[in-house]
Amino acid sequence: MRIFNFSAGPAVLPTPVLETARDELLDWHGRGMSIMEMSHRGKDFTGVIETAEADLRTLMGIPSNYKVLFLQGGATQHFAQVPMNLLAGRSADYVVTGSWSKKAFKEAQRIGTARLAASTEADHFTGLPGAGELDFDPRAAYVHLCTNETIHGVEMFDLPVVPDGVPLVADMSSHILSRPVDVSKFGLIYAGAQKNVGPAGLVIVIVREDLLGKALPTTPSVMDYAVMAEHGSMLNTPPTFGVYLAGLVFKHLLAQGGLAAVEQANIAKARLLYDAIEASGGFYRNPVALPCRSRMNVPFTLADGALDRDFLAEAAERRLEGLKGHKSVGGMRASIYNAMSPDGVRALVGLMQDFAARKA
Ligand SMILES: *Cc1c(COP(=O)(O)O)cnc(C)c1O
């Protein structure tokens, strides 16, 4: 029996997708072998990666002047790869709204010049900078954002207004495919797969074509987005099983009605959980400002931190796992990605209500 897995990542995947992968593991489509065992150059895998790209384009409405890349290295590697590819001897602006954008900013400084356009660290990353707090360089090579801060539970629903012609770059690792986004507003989107898409190891990069071809001369070929785009993500062996599984997830989301339908389900799940926190009379608390509370990652604390262990123990008895908060924030964190069922969220809310009634 499967648990309710609230882990921030690697995270829960849709059961029907895992069942398909299981059924196809020894013998994919009558080929007598698994996807993992076949050449990435053969027509079978070529079909898998092409279908995955086409389905992702449909799901996200990706315009034709954008390349879709299936790469490796985790989002962390792309903290460095983005400036390697896009800085072109200039400076980039970073909006720091949590641990991940802070790491991206630090990594960019190793590659070239990066400027802090705003930071909410003084507020312990519990909100987003107001328009008046954003100090953008009109000559910046790009503006980098993390549109969902996985650790702090801060999601950007409105994009900052940036100077004309400066492309937005977004780390969407923990909320890609959770709702529709207007891809044309971005120069580059990147996301590690293991939060909402598939197995760790795969990274999706969506990049506007005119931004390609400006990589630092020392950029290794496998890290050059233009070279990877030229080779259909197959300069070398791509993470074939990850691409296959992501492709199954894309089909699953399309069958659910696409991202508009997925968003409605996510809004309903998030509301259940935030309502339970708000209705607890302070027993549970989420520190994030209302307009930017993440629909994917919901950190919350118990009024008495000494009860954390009991709470986690009772959660485990009910097969609710992965709820311990990130060490930098403490308390709890419930990650309620696409594949978390409403039943899972209801089970968590049930525990929270029971527990508070007994311990308050
Ligand atoms: C998990 C995460 C990362 C890091 O991903 P790795 O695959 O471990 O490199 C980066 N950014 C965000 C927003 C994340 O949630």
Side-chain angles (χ1 to χ4, degrees):
M1 190 189 124
R2 280 166 66 72
I3 59 162
F4 288 121
N5 181 1
F6 292 93
S7 172
V12 58
L13 286 167
T15 302
V17 164
L18 296 177
E19 286 168 344
T20 301
R22 176 198 61 198
D23 294 346
E24 296 181 342
L25 192 62
L26 296 185
D27 182 5
W28 181 83
H29 295 202
R31 291 286 290 105
M33 60 180 156
S34 73
I35 284 285
M36 275 181 281
E37 299 166 294
M38 61 177 64
S39 166
H40 58 294
R41 306 275 178 208
K43 75 169 176 8
D44 290 321
F45 183 74
T46 306
V48 167
I49 196 167
E50 284 173 357
T51 304
E53 175 175 341
D55 286 342
L56 183 62
R57 283 185 180 276
T58 304
L59 266 176
M60 293 184 72
I62 300 173
S64 58
N65 62 324
Y66 284 72
K67 296 288 189 196
V68 173
L69 306 177
F70 295 108
L71 304 178
Q72 310 195 46
T76 304
Q77 184 174 300
H78 294 264
F79 291 168
Q81 257 179 268
V82 163
M84 279 179 187
N85 279 273
L86 302 188
L87 266 184
R90 287 147 73 192
S91 162
D93 276 359
Y94 278 70
V95 180
V96 171
T97 53
S99 303
W100 291 116
S101 46
K102 188 176 173 182
K103 283 190 177 164
F105 175 51
K106 286 217 168 115
E107 204 64 10
Q109 289 172 292
R110 299 169 64 91
I111 305 298
T113 311
R115 237 182 112 253
L116 191 63
S119 168
T120 55
E121 188 161 17
D123 304 324
H124 309 285
F125 297 131
T126 53
L128 289 171
E133 296 162 286
L134 291 160
D135 164 33
F136 289 124
D137 170 5
R139 285 154 315 173
Y142 59 87
V143 169
H144 182 281
L145 312 168
C146 176
T147 45
N148 187 63
E149 285 283 358
T150 321
I151 292 173
H152 296 90
V154 175
E155 184 165 3
M156 241 176 241
F157 294 98
D158 298 306
L159 296 172
V161 178
V162 295
D164 266 357
V166 178
L168 276 177
V169 170
D171 174 1
M172 294 194 183
S173 294
S174 51
H175 74 160
I176 191 168
L177 304 182
S178 68
R179 58 179 165 95
V181 293
D182 182 352
V183 174
S184 73
K185 293 218 158 79
F186 296 88
L188 187 148
I189 292 168
Y190 66 105
Q194 72 271 25
K195 313 290 166 57
N196 221 5
V197 177
L202 172 69
V203 177
I204 293 170
V205 172
I206 301 164
V207 56
R208 217 175 62 208
E209 282 165 356
D210 62 282
L211 297 174
L212 293 172
K214 299 172 192 165
L216 297 174
T218 51
T219 305
S221 311
V222 285
M223 296 190 178
D224 186 327
Y225 296 144
V227 174
M228 276 303 197
E230 231 170 86
H231 290 83
S233 305
M234 292 211 272
L235 175 73
N236 65 329
T237 317
T240 52
F241 191 74
V243 171
Y244 157 74
L245 213 95
L248 294 180
V249 169
F250 301 155
K251 287 248 182 274
H252 175 74
L253 297 177
L254 286 168
Q256 290 188 313
L259 298 191
V262 170
E263 177 178 40
Q264 289 313 310
N266 285 329
I267 288 173
K269 284 186 294 176
R271 186 172 295 146
L272 274 175
L273 189 46
Y274 284 114
D275 282 355
I277 293 169
E278 292 311 309
S280 72
F283 190 86
Y284 303 107
R285 230 184 127 260
N286 170 288
V288 178
L290 286 174
C292 51
R293 288 183 165 182
S294 171
R295 292 179 190 150
M296 295 285 103
N297 310 98
V298 184
F300 60 93
T301 51
L302 277 61
D304 178 0
L307 293 174
D308 285 2
R309 279 177 55 169
D310 288 355
F311 183 88
L312 289 168
E314 291 195 25
E317 278 168 26
R318 298 183 189 206
R319 302 179 66 84
L320 309 173
E321 294 186 25
L323 285 164
K324 193 173 183 339
H326 190 272
K327 60 184 184 303
S328 65
V329 175
M332 308 296 150
R333 171 176 49 173
S335 294
I336 49 174
Y337 297 119
N338 288 348
M340 171 54 65
S341 66
D343 280 348
V345 178
R346 279 191 284 268
L348 173 59
V349 165
L351 166 67
M352 290 167 71
Q353 290 169 344
D354 270 19
F355 189 85
R358 274 181 286 114
K359 310 272 184 173

